[in-house]
Amino acid sequence: MCWPLHATVGNIAVTTSTMSGHFRAGAGCDGLVLCDLLPAGKFRNGAVRHWCRTHQCYWGTKADLADFAASQQMRCKQHASPMGYMLYPDVLDVSDYHAITLDYLDDGTLRLQAKANNGGTLLVRDVSALAIDSRSLPGLFHPSIVQINITPPAALAYVAALRSGVALGCIDCPRCAHPHLDLGDFALSPHRRHLCGHCGYDAVHGVAACVSTPLQRLRDHALRKPGHIKHWF
């Protein structure tokens, strides 16, 4: 699990459980993760552009092309930026548990408590990040998405939005179907136009202005099943 430290949007939903990069410890803020570039239309001047899913920025400017000619590597301008990461995070399959609670503590820690369906064993975890196995929630997200990551910036932004009382929702990109995540100032100001962190499509429009986060869809799901998930943030 990784997240860009410099970006205001992030790719919270993943289609694979693997990544490539350089990691010095089990968790940290100094990870160097390889660029993941894919075609993303054109710039306003007509030049072809790509989107880096890893570092959340476009590639294709004159500076990018000059760097490619010199290094023979297609890499975005943020390729050397350190990233937050956690190796082998806890992955929660909600279908294995009932009476699940997830709280955000004042120090930024996530406190998870859940009773296993088989025998009622109590699971208690205090973690800085948590992954949700979205395959156990059919219909909630696009079938290609295998995991929703509750990263530190995503949790912080979501709790701040909840406390400020702004309109919350979850906008799916019409091109790639991935849910959008607002962070930073974008998580405190409802808006209709969003930038997809998965494919780089910059004209994702919601029906109404809102702060978009997949965590809201998870919370809505939890509230619809009060006997299963008792509290979610």
Side-chain angles (χ1 to χ4, degrees), residues 8-180:
T8 55
V9 294
N11 187 6
I12 195 173
V14 297
T15 57
T16 176
S17 58
T18 62
M19 74 173 77
S20 298
H22 301 282
F23 314 101
R24 299 179 180 179
C29 294
D30 59 352
L32 296 178
V33 186
L34 303 181
C35 291
D36 181 10
L37 292 155
L38 73 161
K42 296 181 179 181
F43 289 107
R44 291 184 179 180
N45 62 4
V48 175
R49 70 182 182 182
H50 286 67
W51 174 253
C52 182
R53 290 173 176 166
T54 301
H55 302 104
Q56 300 288 292
C57 65
Y58 290 110
W59 181 95
T61 64
K62 291 182 179 179
D64 293 329
L65 297 174
D67 177 70
F68 176 67
S71 66
Q72 294 300 300
Q73 296 183 59
M74 190 173 175
R75 58 192 187 185
C76 76
K77 62 184 179 182
Q78 299 285 357
H79 71 274
S81 297
M83 299 184 68
Y85 70 92
M86 175 181 289
L87 300 183
Y88 312 112
D90 285 302
V91 180
L92 180 69
D93 183 341
V94 297
S95 64
D96 290 337
Y97 300 92
H98 67 277
I100 299 171
T101 66
L102 184 65
D103 291 292
Y104 184 83
L105 306 183
D106 290 340
D107 63 357
T109 301
L110 297 173
R111 175 162 294 171
L112 170 68
Q113 299 182 70
K115 286 187 177 180
N117 294 328
N118 184 12
T121 302
L122 181 63
L123 170 71
V124 179
R125 292 282 192 279
D126 282 356
V127 295
S128 59
L130 177 69
I132 305 297
D133 187 343
S134 58
R135 293 169 297 184
S136 64
L137 300 167
L140 210 60
F141 299 100
H142 191 270
S144 66
I145 298 172
V146 300
Q147 191 169 293
I148 298 294
N149 294 330
I150 306 180
T151 64
L156 175 63
Y158 184 54
V159 171
L162 281 174
R163 291 174 178 173
S164 65
V166 300
L168 282 158
C170 183
I171 306 299
D172 292 329
C173 176
R175 286 194 175 179
C176 70
H178 274 236
H180 177 65

